[in-house]
Amino acid sequence: MDYTLFAQTVLLLQDNRLVVIGLCLISAILLSEWLHRLLSHLPAITGYLLTGLLMGPYVLGVLDGENLTQLSLFSDIAIGILLFELGRHLDWRWLRGEPRLVMLILLESLAVFFAVYLLLWGVGLQPLAAALLAIIAITTSPLILLPVLRESRAEGRVSDWAQVFAAANNMLALVAAVLLVALAHLAQTGGWQQALIGPMRELLGGLALGMLAAWLTCRFLHWLRAHGPHDVLPTLFLFGAVVAVVGAAKALVFSPLLGVLALGFGCRHIKSGEAVLGMQLDPLRSLFVCVLFVQLGASLNPSAWQGVALWTLLFLLVRTLTRVAIPYLLAPFCGLRHAQGGCLGVVLIPMSSLGLLAVHASVTTLPELDTQAAGIAAAALMVMELLGPIATRWALKQVGEIAEEGRQHVKS
């Protein structure tokens, strides 16, 4: 066998980054399908994550830092699509008629925050670091929740409420994180104007950008529908609106996460938004979600556990127990059974890295966030990204909201 030719071929493939990325995506799809056939309870995104972890720089090194940078554009688009769909599920008119659900969301978020904060502060973490990790603990990952719901074709009250919880939890966490960083800057500089203007501009700018884009999108799609049937153009326009909001928010230093959430929320509530409600981005979303989870898997660093394993396990244990206990105990007050409330808490277990990304740039300027806190966050996110999809699907199955196991396997 000509090993020289083989080595030259390997080097050629490594130099051609598009070939490497393409092969990794093909491997992700094949591994996902194989795992689903072997263990039908595993969601497709688990296969994507494992492929990324295996191919990433911390294991085989097929995907290096430059590959991951090239994939970041696709990942940003995937995050935009998923957050847009999450915002579109947040029905304000319905929530006004469900005050007990709103109270449950607030109580659950506050309970998770204070339980995690008191734990980390009690073991010696500095207050700012403990508070930021507690805010991240509030979040529920839409990147895991929505693909699992669609892949499982889950339907029912727990599935519907989980999407509302995820949207509300992430919005609360985003606002709390930005305000916390502002307060930290205020304590350092003593100037409230300098400390508050930047964060408020980021939040209000993202909200205004998303609502303006929603109004323009609804107006155009309403006009388009009134002038004859169209198959592809409305979907492409809606996709373009999501991408444009993400790009514009980054360019203007607004919050892109809040921008696309507001875009989805606005498209649901603006009067002419009926033209948007029935539209789906499924074909486009599937590709970008695959890329996103391959990149997330490649970013997982097993060495993040070094020195923080015990604190990470305590963090995850307290967060999980609190997140499950509150809905379990208060479920009857909202019209659910205790078992449904407990399973709702399990569905909400996947933790979002979006909260960490949202404050990362600001936090790097604050010396109070020590390396131990960053290690706990990275290790906890790694565990949640690998085990979260399995826990979510298991809980949905327990409440009978997943389609029959013999169904055709639908990719996320």
Side-chain angles (χ1 to χ4, degrees), residues 74-163:
F74 296 92
S75 299
D76 288 343
I77 294 173
I79 292 170
I81 292 173
L82 292 172
L83 286 176
F84 165 77
E85 294 184 342
L86 194 64
R88 195 161 54 165
H89 280 94
L90 195 58
D91 189 343
W92 175 247
R93 290 182 289 266
W94 176 69
L95 281 175
R96 283 192 302 177
E98 296 282 351
R100 293 183 179 182
L101 176 60
V102 175
M103 289 300 298
L104 179 59
I105 292 173
L106 293 175
L107 285 173
E108 189 261 357
S109 297
L110 288 173
V112 170
F113 174 85
F114 282 110
V116 172
Y117 176 79
L118 291 174
L119 167 72
L120 297 177
W121 179 67
V123 298
L125 238 61
Q126 297 194 10
L128 176 63
L132 280 170
L133 287 174
I135 288 172
I136 295 172
I138 293 174
T139 63
T140 296
S141 177
L143 310 185
I144 292 175
L145 176 63
L146 293 183
V148 171
L149 288 176
R150 280 178 173 75
E151 177 191 341
S152 304
R153 295 189 292 177
E155 293 181 357
R157 295 188 72 184
V158 171
S159 303
D160 293 338
W161 284 26
Q163 295 176 74

Coordinates of all heavy atoms in Angstrom, one line a residue, residues 74-163:
F74 N -23.1 30.1 10.2 CA -24.3 29.2 10.1 C -24.9 29.0 11.5 O -26.1 28.9 11.6 CB -23.8 27.8 9.6 CG -23.3 27.9 8.2 CD1 -22.0 28.1 7.9 CD2 -24.2 27.7 7.1 CE1 -21.5 28.1 6.6 CE2 -23.8 27.8 5.8 CZ -22.4 27.9 5.5
S75 N -24.1 29.0 12.5 CA -24.6 28.8 13.9 C -25.4 30.0 14.3 O -26.4 29.9 15.0 CB -23.4 28.6 14.9 OG -22.7 27.4 14.5
D76 N -24.9 31.2 14.0 CA -25.7 32.4 14.3 C -27.0 32.4 13.6 O -28.0 32.8 14.2 CB -24.9 33.7 13.8 CG -23.7 33.9 14.7 OD1 -23.6 33.4 15.8 OD2 -22.8 34.7 14.3
I77 N -27.1 31.9 12.4 CA -28.4 31.8 11.7 C -29.3 30.8 12.4 O -30.5 31.1 12.5 CB -28.1 31.5 10.2 CG1 -27.4 32.6 9.5 CG2 -29.5 31.2 9.5 CD1 -27.0 32.3 8.1
A78 N -28.7 29.7 12.8 CA -29.6 28.7 13.4 C -30.1 29.2 14.7 O -31.3 29.0 15.1 CB -28.7 27.4 13.7
I79 N -29.3 29.9 15.5 CA -29.8 30.5 16.8 C -30.9 31.5 16.5 O -31.9 31.6 17.2 CB -28.6 31.1 17.5 CG1 -27.6 30.1 18.0 CG2 -29.1 32.0 18.7 CD1 -26.3 30.6 18.6
G80 N -30.7 32.3 15.4 CA -31.7 33.3 15.1 C -33.0 32.6 14.7 O -34.1 33.1 15.2
I81 N -33.0 31.6 14.0 CA -34.2 30.9 13.6 C -34.9 30.3 14.8 O -36.1 30.4 15.0 CB -33.9 29.8 12.5 CG1 -33.5 30.4 11.2 CG2 -35.1 28.9 12.3 CD1 -33.0 29.3 10.2
L82 N -34.2 29.6 15.7 CA -34.8 29.0 16.8 C -35.3 30.0 17.8 O -36.4 29.8 18.4 CB -33.7 28.1 17.5 CG -33.3 26.9 16.7 CD1 -32.2 26.2 17.4 CD2 -34.5 25.9 16.6
L83 N -34.6 31.1 18.0 CA -35.2 32.1 18.9 C -36.4 32.9 18.3 O -37.3 33.3 19.0 CB -34.1 33.1 19.3 CG -33.0 32.7 20.2 CD1 -31.9 33.7 20.4 CD2 -33.6 32.3 21.6
F84 N -36.4 33.0 17.0 CA -37.5 33.6 16.3 C -38.8 32.7 16.6 O -39.8 33.2 16.9 CB -37.3 33.7 14.8 CG -38.5 34.0 14.0 CD1 -39.1 35.2 14.0 CD2 -39.1 33.0 13.3 CE1 -40.2 35.5 13.2 CE2 -40.2 33.2 12.5 CZ -40.8 34.4 12.5
E85 N -38.6 31.4 16.4 CA -39.7 30.5 16.6 C -40.1 30.5 18.1 O -41.3 30.4 18.4 CB -39.3 29.1 16.1 CG -39.1 29.0 14.6 CD -38.8 27.6 14.1 OE1 -38.5 26.8 14.9 OE2 -39.0 27.4 12.9
L86 N -39.2 30.6 19.0 CA -39.5 30.7 20.4 C -40.3 31.9 20.7 O -41.3 31.9 21.4 CB -38.2 30.6 21.2 CG -38.4 30.3 22.7 CD1 -39.0 29.0 22.9 CD2 -37.1 30.5 23.4
G87 N -39.9 33.1 20.1 CA -40.7 34.3 20.3 C -42.0 34.2 19.7 O -43.0 34.8 20.3
R88 N -42.2 33.5 18.7 CA -43.5 33.4 18.0 C -44.4 32.5 18.9 O -45.7 32.6 18.7 CB -43.3 32.7 16.6 CG -44.5 32.9 15.7 CD -44.2 32.7 14.3 NE -43.5 31.5 14.0 CZ -43.4 31.0 12.7 NH1 -43.9 31.6 11.7 NH2 -42.7 29.9 12.5
H89 N -43.9 31.7 19.8 CA -44.8 30.9 20.6 C -45.2 31.7 21.9 O -46.0 31.2 22.7 CB -44.1 29.6 21.1 CG -44.1 28.6 20.0 ND1 -43.1 28.4 19.1 CD2 -45.0 27.6 19.8 CE1 -43.4 27.4 18.3 NE2 -44.6 26.9 18.7
L90 N -44.7 32.9 22.1 CA -45.0 33.6 23.3 C -46.2 34.5 23.0 O -46.1 35.6 22.4 CB -43.8 34.5 23.7 CG -43.8 35.1 25.1 CD1 -43.9 34.1 26.2 CD2 -42.5 36.0 25.3
D91 N -47.4 34.0 23.4 CA -48.7 34.6 23.2 C -49.0 35.5 24.4 O -49.5 35.0 25.4 CB -49.7 33.6 22.9 CG -51.0 34.2 22.4 OD1 -51.2 35.4 22.5 OD2 -51.8 33.4 21.8
W92 N -48.9 36.8 24.3 CA -49.2 37.7 25.4 C -50.6 37.7 25.7 O -51.0 37.8 26.9 CB -48.7 39.1 25.0 CG -49.1 40.1 26.0 CD1 -49.9 41.2 25.9 CD2 -48.5 40.2 27.4 NE1 -50.0 41.9 27.1 CE2 -49.1 41.3 28.0 CE3 -47.6 39.4 28.1 CZ2 -48.9 41.7 29.3 CZ3 -47.3 39.8 29.4 CH2 -47.9 40.9 30.0
R93 N -51.5 37.6 24.7 CA -53.0 37.6 25.0 C -53.4 36.4 25.8 O -54.2 36.5 26.7 CB -53.7 37.7 23.7 CG -53.6 39.0 22.9 CD -54.4 39.1 21.7 NE -53.8 38.2 20.6 CZ -53.0 38.6 19.7 NH1 -52.7 39.9 19.7 NH2 -52.5 37.8 18.8
W94 N -52.8 35.3 25.5 CA -53.1 34.1 26.2 C -52.5 34.1 27.6 O -53.1 33.7 28.6 CB -52.5 32.9 25.5 CG -52.7 31.6 26.2 CD1 -53.8 30.9 26.4 CD2 -51.6 30.8 26.8 NE1 -53.6 29.7 27.2 CE2 -52.2 29.6 27.4 CE3 -50.2 30.9 27.0 CZ2 -51.5 28.7 28.1 CZ3 -49.5 30.0 27.6 CH2 -50.2 28.8 28.2
L95 N -51.3 34.7 27.8 CA -50.7 34.8 29.1 C -51.5 35.7 30.0 O -51.5 35.5 31.2 CB -49.2 35.3 29.0 CG -48.2 34.3 28.5 CD1 -46.8 35.0 28.3 CD2 -48.1 33.2 29.6
R96 N -52.1 36.7 29.5 CA -52.9 37.6 30.3 C -54.1 36.9 31.0 O -54.6 37.3 32.0 CB -53.4 38.8 29.5 CG -52.3 39.9 29.2 CD -53.0 41.1 28.7 NE -53.7 40.9 27.4 CZ -54.4 41.8 26.8 NH1 -54.4 43.0 27.2 NH2 -55.0 41.5 25.7
G97 N -54.5 35.9 30.3 CA -55.6 35.1 30.8 C -55.2 33.9 31.7 O -56.0 33.1 32.2
E98 N -53.8 33.8 31.9 CA -53.3 32.7 32.7 C -52.3 33.3 33.8 O -51.1 33.1 33.8 CB -52.5 31.7 31.8 CG -53.3 31.0 30.8 CD -54.1 29.8 31.5 OE1 -53.8 29.5 32.6 OE2 -54.9 29.3 30.8
P99 N -52.9 34.1 34.7 CA -52.0 34.8 35.7 C -51.3 33.8 36.6 O -50.2 34.0 37.0 CB -53.0 35.6 36.5 CG -54.3 35.0 36.3 CD -54.3 34.5 34.9
R100 N -51.9 32.6 36.8 CA -51.2 31.6 37.7 C -50.0 31.0 37.0 O -49.0 30.7 37.6 CB -52.2 30.5 38.0 CG -53.3 30.9 38.9 CD -54.2 29.7 39.3 NE -55.3 30.2 40.2 CZ -56.2 29.3 40.7 NH1 -56.1 28.0 40.4 NH2 -57.1 29.8 41.5
L101 N -50.0 30.9 35.6 CA -48.9 30.4 34.9 C -47.7 31.5 35.0 O -46.6 31.1 35.1 CB -49.2 30.1 33.5 CG -48.1 29.7 32.5 CD1 -47.4 28.5 33.0 CD2 -48.6 29.5 31.1
V102 N -48.1 32.7 34.8 CA -47.1 33.8 34.9 C -46.4 33.8 36.3 O -45.2 33.9 36.4 CB -47.7 35.2 34.6 CG1 -46.7 36.3 34.8 CG2 -48.3 35.2 33.2
M103 N -47.2 33.6 37.3 CA -46.7 33.5 38.7 C -45.8 32.3 38.8 O -44.7 32.4 39.5 CB -47.8 33.5 39.7 CG -48.6 34.8 39.9 SD -47.5 36.2 40.4 CE -46.9 35.5 42.0
L104 N -46.2 31.2 38.3 CA -45.3 30.0 38.3 C -44.0 30.2 37.6 O -42.9 29.8 38.2 CB -46.1 28.8 37.7 CG -45.3 27.5 37.7 CD1 -45.0 27.0 39.1 CD2 -46.1 26.4 37.0
I105 N -44.0 30.9 36.5 CA -42.7 31.2 35.8 C -41.8 32.0 36.6 O -40.6 31.8 36.8 CB -43.0 31.9 34.4 CG1 -43.7 30.9 33.5 CG2 -41.8 32.4 33.8 CD1 -44.2 31.5 32.2
L106 N -42.4 33.1 37.2 CA -41.6 34.0 38.0 C -41.1 33.3 39.3 O -39.9 33.4 39.7 CB -42.4 35.2 38.4 CG -42.8 36.2 37.3 CD1 -43.7 37.3 37.8 CD2 -41.6 36.8 36.6
L107 N -41.9 32.5 40.0 CA -41.5 31.8 41.2 C -40.4 30.8 40.9 O -39.4 30.7 41.6 CB -42.7 31.1 41.8 CG -43.7 32.0 42.6 CD1 -44.9 31.2 43.0 CD2 -43.0 32.7 43.8
E108 N -40.6 30.1 39.8 CA -39.6 29.1 39.4 C -38.2 29.7 39.1 O -37.2 29.2 39.5 CB -40.1 28.3 38.2 CG -39.3 27.1 37.8 CD -38.4 27.3 36.7 OE1 -38.4 28.4 36.1 OE2 -37.6 26.4 36.3
S109 N -38.3 30.8 38.3 CA -37.0 31.5 38.0 C -36.3 32.1 39.2 O -35.1 31.9 39.4 CB -37.3 32.6 37.0 OG -37.8 32.1 35.8
L110 N -37.1 32.7 40.1 CA -36.5 33.3 41.3 C -36.0 32.2 42.2 O -34.9 32.3 42.8 CB -37.6 34.1 42.1 CG -37.9 35.4 41.4 CD1 -39.1 36.0 42.2 CD2 -36.8 36.4 41.4
A111 N -36.7 31.0 42.3 CA -36.2 29.9 43.2 C -34.9 29.4 42.7 O -34.0 29.1 43.5 CB -37.3 28.9 43.2
V112 N -34.8 29.2 41.4 CA -33.6 28.6 40.8 C -32.4 29.6 41.0 O -31.3 29.2 41.4 CB -33.7 28.4 39.3 CG1 -32.4 28.1 38.6 CG2 -34.7 27.2 39.0
F113 N -32.7 30.9 40.8 CA -31.6 31.9 41.0 C -31.1 31.9 42.4 O -29.9 31.8 42.6 CB -32.2 33.3 40.6 CG -31.2 34.4 40.9 CD1 -30.2 34.7 40.0 CD2 -31.2 35.1 42.1 CE1 -29.3 35.7 40.2 CE2 -30.3 36.1 42.4 CZ -29.3 36.4 41.5
F114 N -32.0 32.0 43.4 CA -31.5 32.1 44.8 C -30.9 30.8 45.3 O -30.0 30.8 46.1 CB -32.7 32.6 45.7 CG -33.0 34.1 45.5 CD1 -34.1 34.5 44.9 CD2 -32.1 35.0 46.0 CE1 -34.4 35.9 44.8 CE2 -32.3 36.4 45.9 CZ -33.5 36.8 45.3
A115 N -31.5 29.7 44.9 CA -30.9 28.4 45.3 C -29.4 28.3 44.8 O -28.6 27.9 45.6 CB -31.7 27.3 44.8
V116 N -29.2 28.6 43.5 CA -27.9 28.5 43.0 C -27.0 29.5 43.5 O -25.8 29.3 43.9 CB -27.9 28.5 41.4 CG1 -26.5 28.6 40.8 CG2 -28.7 27.3 40.9
Y117 N -27.5 30.8 43.7 CA -26.6 31.9 44.2 C -26.2 31.6 45.6 O -25.0 31.7 45.9 CB -27.4 33.2 44.1 CG -26.7 34.3 44.8 CD1 -25.6 35.0 44.1 CD2 -26.9 34.7 46.1 CE1 -24.9 36.0 44.6 CE2 -26.2 35.8 46.7 CZ -25.2 36.4 45.9 OH -24.5 37.4 46.5
L118 N -27.1 31.1 46.5 CA -26.7 30.9 47.9 C -25.7 29.7 48.0 O -24.8 29.7 48.8 CB -28.0 30.6 48.7 CG -28.9 31.7 48.9 CD1 -30.2 31.3 49.6 CD2 -28.2 32.9 49.7
L119 N -25.9 28.7 47.1 CA -24.9 27.6 47.1 C -23.5 28.1 46.7 O -22.6 27.8 47.4 CB -25.4 26.6 46.1 CG -24.3 25.5 45.7 CD1 -24.1 24.5 46.9 CD2 -24.7 24.7 44.5
L120 N -23.4 28.8 45.6 CA -22.1 29.2 45.1 C -21.5 30.3 46.0 O -20.3 30.3 46.3 CB -22.2 29.8 43.7 CG -22.7 28.7 42.7 CD1 -22.9 29.3 41.3 CD2 -21.7 27.6 42.6
W121 N -22.3 31.2 46.5 CA -21.8 32.2 47.5 C -21.3 31.5 48.8 O -20.3 31.9 49.4 CB -22.9 33.2 47.7 CG -22.5 34.3 48.7 CD1 -21.5 35.3 48.5 CD2 -23.0 34.5 50.0 NE1 -21.4 36.1 49.6 CE2 -22.3 35.6 50.6 CE3 -24.0 33.9 50.8 CZ2 -22.6 36.1 51.8 CZ3 -24.3 34.4 52.0 CH2 -23.6 35.5 52.6
G122 N -22.1 30.5 49.2 CA -21.7 29.8 50.4 C -20.4 29.0 50.3 O -19.8 28.8 51.3
V123 N -20.1 28.6 49.1 CA -18.8 27.8 49.0 C -17.6 28.7 48.6 O -16.5 28.2 48.4 CB -18.9 26.7 47.9 CG1 -20.0 25.7 48.2 CG2 -19.2 27.3 46.5
G124 N -17.9 30.0 48.7 CA -16.7 30.9 48.5 C -16.6 31.7 47.2 O -15.6 32.5 47.1
L125 N -17.5 31.5 46.3 CA -17.4 32.3 45.0 C -17.7 33.7 45.3 O -18.6 34.0 46.2 CB -18.4 31.7 44.0 CG -17.7 31.2 42.7 CD1 -16.8 30.1 43.0 CD2 -18.8 30.8 41.7
Q126 N -17.1 34.6 44.6 CA -17.4 36.1 44.8 C -18.8 36.4 44.3 O -19.4 35.7 43.5 CB -16.4 36.9 44.1 CG -15.0 36.7 44.6 CD -14.0 37.8 44.1 OE1 -14.4 38.8 43.6 NE2 -12.7 37.5 44.4
P127 N -19.5 37.4 44.9 CA -20.9 37.6 44.7 C -21.2 37.8 43.2 O -22.2 37.3 42.7 CB -21.2 38.9 45.5 CG -20.2 38.8 46.6 CD -18.9 38.2 46.0
L128 N -20.4 38.6 42.5 CA -20.7 38.8 41.0 C -20.7 37.5 40.3 O -21.6 37.2 39.5 CB -19.8 39.8 40.4 CG -19.9 40.0 38.9 CD1 -21.3 40.6 38.7 CD2 -18.8 40.9 38.4
A129 N -19.6 36.7 40.5 CA -19.5 35.4 39.8 C -20.7 34.5 40.1 O -21.2 33.8 39.3 CB -18.2 34.8 40.1
A130 N -21.0 34.4 41.4 CA -22.1 33.6 41.9 C -23.5 34.0 41.2 O -24.3 33.2 40.8 CB -22.3 33.6 43.4
A131 N -23.7 35.4 41.1 CA -24.9 35.9 40.6 C -25.0 35.6 39.1 O -26.1 35.3 38.6 CB -25.0 37.4 40.8
L132 N -23.9 35.7 38.3 CA -23.9 35.5 36.9 C -24.2 34.0 36.6 O -24.9 33.7 35.7 CB -22.6 35.9 36.3 CG -22.4 37.4 36.0 CD1 -21.0 37.7 35.6 CD2 -23.4 37.8 34.9
L133 N -23.6 33.1 37.4 CA -23.8 31.7 37.2 C -25.3 31.4 37.6 O -25.9 30.5 37.0 CB -22.9 30.9 38.1 CG -21.4 30.8 37.6 CD1 -20.6 30.1 38.6 CD2 -21.4 30.1 36.2
A134 N -25.8 32.0 38.6 CA -27.2 31.8 39.0 C -28.2 32.3 37.9 O -29.2 31.7 37.6 CB -27.5 32.5 40.3
I135 N -27.8 33.4 37.2 CA -28.6 33.9 36.1 C -28.6 32.9 34.9 O -29.6 32.6 34.3 CB -28.1 35.3 35.6 CG1 -28.5 36.3 36.6 CG2 -28.7 35.6 34.2 CD1 -27.8 37.7 36.4
I136 N -27.4 32.3 34.6 CA -27.3 31.3 33.6 C -28.1 30.1 33.9 O -28.7 29.4 33.1 CB -25.8 30.9 33.3 CG1 -25.1 32.1 32.8 CG2 -25.7 29.8 32.4 CD1 -23.6 31.9 32.7
A137 N -28.2 29.8 35.2 CA -29.0 28.6 35.7 C -30.5 28.8 35.4 O -31.2 27.8 35.3 CB -28.8 28.4 37.2
I138 N -30.9 30.0 35.3 CA -32.4 30.3 35.1 C -32.7 29.8 33.7 O -33.9 29.4 33.4 CB -32.7 31.8 35.2 CG1 -32.5 32.2 36.7 CG2 -34.1 32.1 34.7 CD1 -32.7 33.7 36.9
T139 N -31.8 29.9 32.7 CA -32.1 29.7 31.3 C -32.5 28.3 31.0 O -32.1 27.4 31.7 CB -30.9 30.1 30.4 OG1 -29.8 29.2 30.7 CG2 -30.5 31.5 30.7
T140 N -33.3 28.2 29.9 CA -33.7 26.9 29.3 C -33.2 27.0 27.9 O -33.6 28.0 27.2 CB -35.2 26.6 29.4 OG1 -35.5 26.5 30.8 CG2 -35.5 25.3 28.7
S141 N -32.5 26.0 27.4 CA -31.9 26.1 26.1 C -33.0 25.9 25.0 O -33.5 24.7 24.8 CB -30.8 25.0 25.9 OG -30.3 25.1 24.6
P142 N -33.3 26.9 24.2 CA -34.2 26.7 23.0 C -33.5 25.9 21.9 O -34.1 25.3 21.1 CB -34.5 28.1 22.6 CG -33.3 28.9 23.0 CD -32.8 28.3 24.3
L143 N -32.2 25.9 22.0 CA -31.4 25.2 20.9 C -31.6 23.7 21.1 O -31.5 22.9 20.2 CB -29.9 25.5 21.0 CG -29.5 27.0 21.1 CD1 -28.0 27.1 21.1 CD2 -30.2 27.7 20.0
I144 N -31.9 23.2 22.3 CA -32.2 21.8 22.6 C -33.7 21.5 22.6 O -34.2 20.6 22.0 CB -31.6 21.4 23.9 CG1 -30.0 21.4 23.8 CG2 -32.1 20.0 24.3 CD1 -29.3 21.1 25.1
L145 N -34.5 22.4 23.3 CA -35.9 22.2 23.5 C -36.6 22.1 22.1 O -37.4 21.1 21.9 CB -36.5 23.3 24.3 CG -38.0 23.2 24.5 CD1 -38.4 22.0 25.3 CD2 -38.5 24.5 25.3
L146 N -36.5 23.1 21.3 CA -37.3 23.1 20.0 C -37.0 22.0 19.1 O -37.9 21.4 18.5 CB -37.1 24.5 19.4 CG -37.7 25.7 20.1 CD1 -37.5 27.0 19.3 CD2 -39.2 25.5 20.5
P147 N -35.7 21.7 18.8 CA -35.4 20.5 17.9 C -36.0 19.2 18.5 O -36.5 18.4 17.7 CB -33.9 20.5 17.8 CG -33.5 21.9 18.1 CD -34.4 22.4 19.1
V148 N -35.9 19.0 19.8 CA -36.4 17.8 20.4 C -37.9 17.7 20.3 O -38.5 16.7 19.9 CB -36.0 17.6 21.9 CG1 -36.7 16.5 22.5 CG2 -34.5 17.4 22.0
L149 N -38.6 18.8 20.5 CA -40.1 18.9 20.3 C -40.5 18.5 18.9 O -41.4 17.8 18.7 CB -40.6 20.3 20.7 CG -40.6 20.6 22.2 CD1 -41.0 22.0 22.4 CD2 -41.5 19.7 23.0
R150 N -39.8 19.1 17.9 CA -40.1 18.8 16.6 C -39.8 17.4 16.1 O -40.5 16.8 15.4 CB -39.5 19.9 15.7 CG -40.2 21.2 15.7 CD -39.6 22.3 14.8 NE -40.4 23.4 14.8 CZ -40.6 24.3 15.8 NH1 -39.9 24.1 16.9 NH2 -41.4 25.4 15.7
E151 N -38.6 17.0 16.5 CA -38.2 15.6 16.1 C -39.2 14.6 16.7 O -39.5 13.6 16.0 CB -36.8 15.4 16.6 CG -36.3 14.0 16.3 CD -35.0 13.7 17.1 OE1 -34.3 14.7 17.5 OE2 -34.7 12.5 17.2
S152 N -39.6 14.8 17.9 CA -40.5 13.9 18.6 C -42.0 14.1 18.2 O -42.8 13.3 18.6 CB -40.4 14.0 20.1 OG -39.0 13.9 20.5
R153 N -42.2 15.2 17.5 CA -43.6 15.6 17.2 C -44.5 15.6 18.5 O -45.6 15.1 18.5 CB -44.2 14.7 16.2 CG -43.5 14.7 14.8 CD -44.3 14.0 13.8 NE -44.2 12.5 14.0 CZ -44.9 11.7 13.2 NH1 -45.6 12.1 12.2 NH2 -44.8 10.4 13.5
A154 N -43.9 16.2 19.5 CA -44.6 16.3 20.8 C -45.7 17.3 20.8 O -45.6 18.4 20.3 CB -43.6 16.7 21.9
E155 N -46.8 16.9 21.4 CA -48.0 17.8 21.5 C -48.7 17.6 22.8 O -48.8 16.5 23.3 CB -49.0 17.5 20.4 CG -48.5 17.8 19.0 CD -49.6 17.6 17.9 OE1 -50.7 17.0 18.3 OE2 -49.3 17.8 16.7
G156 N -49.1 18.7 23.5 CA -49.7 18.6 24.7 C -49.4 19.9 25.6 O -48.7 20.7 25.2
R157 N -50.0 19.9 26.8 CA -49.8 21.1 27.6 C -48.4 21.2 28.1 O -47.9 22.3 28.2 CB -50.8 20.9 28.9 CG -52.2 21.0 28.5 CD -53.1 21.0 29.7 NE -53.0 22.3 30.4 CZ -53.6 22.6 31.5 NH1 -54.3 21.7 32.1 NH2 -53.5 23.8 32.1
V158 N -47.7 20.1 28.5 CA -46.3 20.3 28.9 C -45.5 20.8 27.8 O -44.6 21.7 28.0 CB -45.8 18.9 29.4 CG1 -44.3 19.0 29.7 CG2 -46.6 18.5 30.7
S159 N -45.6 20.3 26.6 CA -44.9 20.8 25.4 C -45.1 22.3 25.2 O -44.2 23.1 25.0 CB -45.2 20.0 24.2 OG -45.0 18.6 24.4
D160 N -46.4 22.7 25.2 CA -46.7 24.1 25.0 C -46.2 25.0 26.1 O -45.6 26.0 25.8 CB -48.3 24.2 24.9 CG -48.8 23.5 23.6 OD1 -48.0 23.3 22.7 OD2 -50.0 23.2 23.6
W161 N -46.4 24.6 27.3 CA -45.9 25.4 28.4 C -44.4 25.5 28.5 O -43.9 26.5 28.9 CB -46.5 24.8 29.8 CG -47.9 25.1 30.0 CD1 -48.9 25.4 29.0 CD2 -48.6 25.2 31.3 NE1 -50.1 25.6 29.6 CE2 -50.0 25.5 31.0 CE3 -48.2 25.0 32.6 CZ2 -50.9 25.6 32.0 CZ3 -49.1 25.2 33.6 CH2 -50.5 25.5 33.3
A162 N -43.7 24.4 28.1 CA -42.3 24.4 28.1 C -41.7 25.5 27.2 O -40.7 26.2 27.5 CB -41.7 23.1 27.7
Q163 N -42.4 25.7 26.1 CA -41.9 26.8 25.1 C -42.2 28.1 25.7 O -41.3 29.0 25.6 CB -42.7 26.6 23.8 CG -42.3 25.3 23.1 CD -43.1 25.1 21.8 OE1 -42.8 25.8 20.8 NE2 -44.0 24.2 21.8

